[in-house]
Amino acid sequence: MLERRSALAEAKPYRSSILDMGEARGFTLTQVAGLDAEFEEKLKAILGGLPAGVGRAVEVNGRQIMRIGPAQFWIIGPETDDPRGRLEAVCAVAPLSHSRTRIFLEGTPARNVLAKGIPLDFHGSAFTPGMFAMTGLHHTPVLVHCVSETRFELYAMRTFALNVWEWLTDAALEFV
C-alpha cells in the first residue's frame, strides 16, 4: 500500500528559543458549497455551528469551520474525520486533504515573519485569533489562519509547500 509522503519530507526543521515552525500533520480538509436557500441551515444542523462572516473561523465539535465565501466553507478536522457521507446529500463536497500542506509558526515573532511577505496587517488588533485570509506569499496562494495571539497556520498547495517553507525559514533567520 502506498504511504502518504509529506511535501516537506526534505525540509530542514526550524526551531529557535522564540520561534517554532513545523508541519501540522494529521488533518482532513473538506470544502463544501451549496446553492439552495436552506443550505446553511442544513449544514449548521450537521456541523453544529457556522461562522457568521467570511474570514472568520469557529471551532465546533473538534473541527475548525471557515467561511471562505458566500455559501462556501472549509471544514478542518482530525485525520480520522470524514464528514463527506453526511454532507453529500446537502451540498457539493470536495476533499482537499491531500492537496494541502499545513505549516505552523508559533512564537512572539510569528507576526513579524509573516508581515515580511504577506500583504496583510498582522498587528494584534487587526488580525485576531479566529480570523483567516486567503492571500499570497511570494507569488504563491496560501490561507493564513490566526489560531492564537502567537500561533498561525498556513495552508499551502502541496506543490508549493516546500517553496513556502523555504521562504518562511529565510524570513525567520533574524530570530534564531
Side-chain angles (χ1 to χ4, degrees), residues 17-36:
S17 62
I18 57 173
L19 184 66
D20 192 18
M21 188 170 85
E23 180 180 7
R25 297 181 183 178
F27 69 97
T28 58
L29 172 57
T30 307
Q31 181 172 312
V32 297
L35 298 175
D36 69 38

Side-chain angles (χ1 to χ4, degrees), residues 134-153:
M134 290 185 158
T135 184
L137 171 66
H138 192 59
H139 308 292
T140 303
V142 294
L143 182 142
V144 180
H145 180 204
C146 181
V147 178
S148 72
E149 287 295 327
T150 59
R151 182 180 172 100
F152 293 83
E153 294 180 350

Side-chain angles (χ1 to χ4, degrees), residues 45-69:
I46 292 169
L47 298 176
L50 299 175
V54 174
R56 300 296 304 173
V58 294
E59 185 170 338
V60 180
N61 299 323
R63 295 182 179 114
Q64 286 287 327
I65 303 168
M66 300 177 173
R67 183 182 293 267
I68 61 168

Side-chain angles (χ1 to χ4, degrees), residues 118-171:
I118 297 176
L120 295 174
D121 183 353
F122 281 102
H123 189 274
S125 64
F127 202 64
T128 59
M131 293 179 74
F132 72 88
M134 290 185 158
T135 184
L137 171 66
H138 192 59
H139 308 292
T140 303
V142 294
L143 182 142
V144 180
H145 180 204
C146 181
V147 178
S148 72
E149 287 295 327
T150 59
R151 182 180 172 100
F152 293 83
E153 294 180 350
L154 285 78
Y155 293 81
M157 286 186 281
R158 179 179 166 76
T159 53
F160 298 115
L162 188 56
N163 183 321
V164 170
W165 177 271
E166 290 172 347
W167 190 95
L168 289 168
T169 56
D170 285 350

